[in-house]
Amino acid sequence: MTDEEFRDPRLAGLYDALDGDRSDLDTYLALAGTLHARRVLDVGCGTGTFALLLADRGCDVIGVDPAEASVEVARAKPGAERVRWVVGDATAVQARGQVHDRDLVTMTANTAQLIVDPPAWRATLTACRDALVPGGHLVFETRRPAARAWEAWTPQRTRRTTQVEGVGRVESWVETLSVEGPLVTFRWTYVLPDGRDGGGRGEALTLTSTSTLRFREQAEVEDDVRRAGLVVVDVREAPDRPGREFIVIACKDPVQG
């Protein structure tokens, strides 16, 4: 099930404005250049920000996401016709198009951690591998469990107000609901200024979105990647979150294919 903030058209339309700082994507753009990537599969593309940045650089891009509302936001953006958009997950791309020509597959932001079911995670890694040409790379990020990021997810520490064009002032905050082993569940709350109903009443509209992330240890992630038939090339600190998040770079064996 896709989280409400991605599948609810009202929230999907607010996503870019409320998550305005995407400096985390700079690392991925730099890696795409270093790896000389020309054909990219962006898994969990969301509203298409990274896919369109790649397209701006002349890459052949496929953006896939299970949330149709988010993909519709992406399709409405300038230049969206340069990207092939697919509603589904990494396995859906394979099922629909038998894609095997990508030299780079990416999973930015929370994409990897949102895949909490172990069989689904294994299937995703396998689909990413199958999409790659021999020697192609998979790059994704995940938070370090030891940093305990969820302890800072409280209304007191995260409450903010954002002026959104065409909407007005939107108040938002996040709150951790439960921590059960590697699974952390939390809820975002959004208060929109005007939730007019059919009677013309203009009262504030409150929307919520509940998410669960799986926090994986580095050794576990590396083992999962190897079991999917990929070679771990590097595990490095995320420049925007040193000590809190790491980036995995894996390769499809150029010999075995």
Side-chain angles (χ1 to χ4, degrees):
M1 178 68 72
T2 307
D3 300 339
E4 291 93 331
E5 66 176 321
F6 306 119
R7 62 185 172 86
D8 186 326
R10 296 168 297 182
L11 290 177
L14 296 173
Y15 185 83
D16 289 338
L18 298 180
D19 194 36
D21 180 12
R22 295 311 312 271
S23 57
D24 60 303
L25 298 178
D26 294 344
T27 298
Y28 289 89
L29 286 173
L31 281 169
T34 301
L35 297 172
H36 306 290
R38 304 306 303 166
R39 298 177 302 278
V40 184
L41 171 61
D42 185 23
V43 177
C45 68
T47 57
T49 299
F50 184 56
L52 290 169
L53 288 173
L54 290 167
D56 287 342
R57 295 192 170 196
C59 293
D60 173 347
V61 187
I62 301 173
V64 59
D65 197 285
E68 186 171 3
S70 293
V71 175
E72 287 304 309
V73 172
R75 285 179 172 143
K77 291 182 175 180
E81 71 281 354
R82 295 171 297 169
V83 177
R84 283 179 280 170
W85 305 103
V86 178
V87 176
D89 57 18
T91 63
V93 174
Q94 293 297 67
R96 297 183 187 187
Q98 293 299 309
V99 176
H100 303 292
D101 66 343
R102 303 290 97 179
D103 43 40
L104 177 63
V105 176
T106 58
M107 289 189 283
T108 66
N110 289 331
T111 297
Q113 287 187 261
L114 282 167
I115 307 170
V116 300
D117 180 59
W121 175 235
R122 290 192 293 270
T124 297
L125 290 175
T126 299
C128 291
R129 175 194 180 278
D130 290 345
L132 290 168
V133 297
H137 290 83
L138 166 65
V139 180
F140 65 92
E141 65 187 60
T142 187
R143 290 181 174 89
R144 294 188 182 278
R148 304 178 67 84
W150 58 86
E151 292 181 348
W153 298 346
T154 67
Q156 294 78 14
R157 300 182 67 171
T158 62
R159 190 183 301 270
R160 63 178 179 174
T161 300
T162 306
Q163 186 69 31
V164 179
E165 183 177 356
V167 177
R169 293 165 62 86
V170 177
E171 188 178 8
S172 61
W173 64 89
V174 65
E175 180 177 12
T176 298
L177 300 180
S178 67
V179 180
E180 300 178 6
L183 300 180
V184 178
T185 299
F186 55 96
R187 181 177 59 229
W188 275 99
T189 298
Y190 306 90
V191 181
L192 282 63
D194 190 354
R196 292 187 182 277
D197 60 20
R201 292 181 291 272
E203 299 179 355
L205 173 65
T206 299
L207 302 172
T208 61
S209 176
T210 300
S211 303
T212 299
L213 300 181
R214 179 176 286 272
F215 283 72
R216 301 178 177 94
E217 298 289 351
Q218 180 176 329
E220 176 188 1
V221 172
E222 292 187 37
D223 187 56
D224 289 344
V225 169
R226 293 190 183 100
R227 288 177 181 274
L230 293 158
V231 178
V232 177
V233 175
D234 190 18
V235 179
R236 61 182 65 171
E237 295 289 340
D240 59 319
R241 292 175 180 168
R244 296 182 292 162
E245 191 169 280
F246 58 93
I247 294 175
V248 178
I249 304 173
C251 177
K252 184 172 182 178
D253 194 309
V255 177
Q256 295 183 1

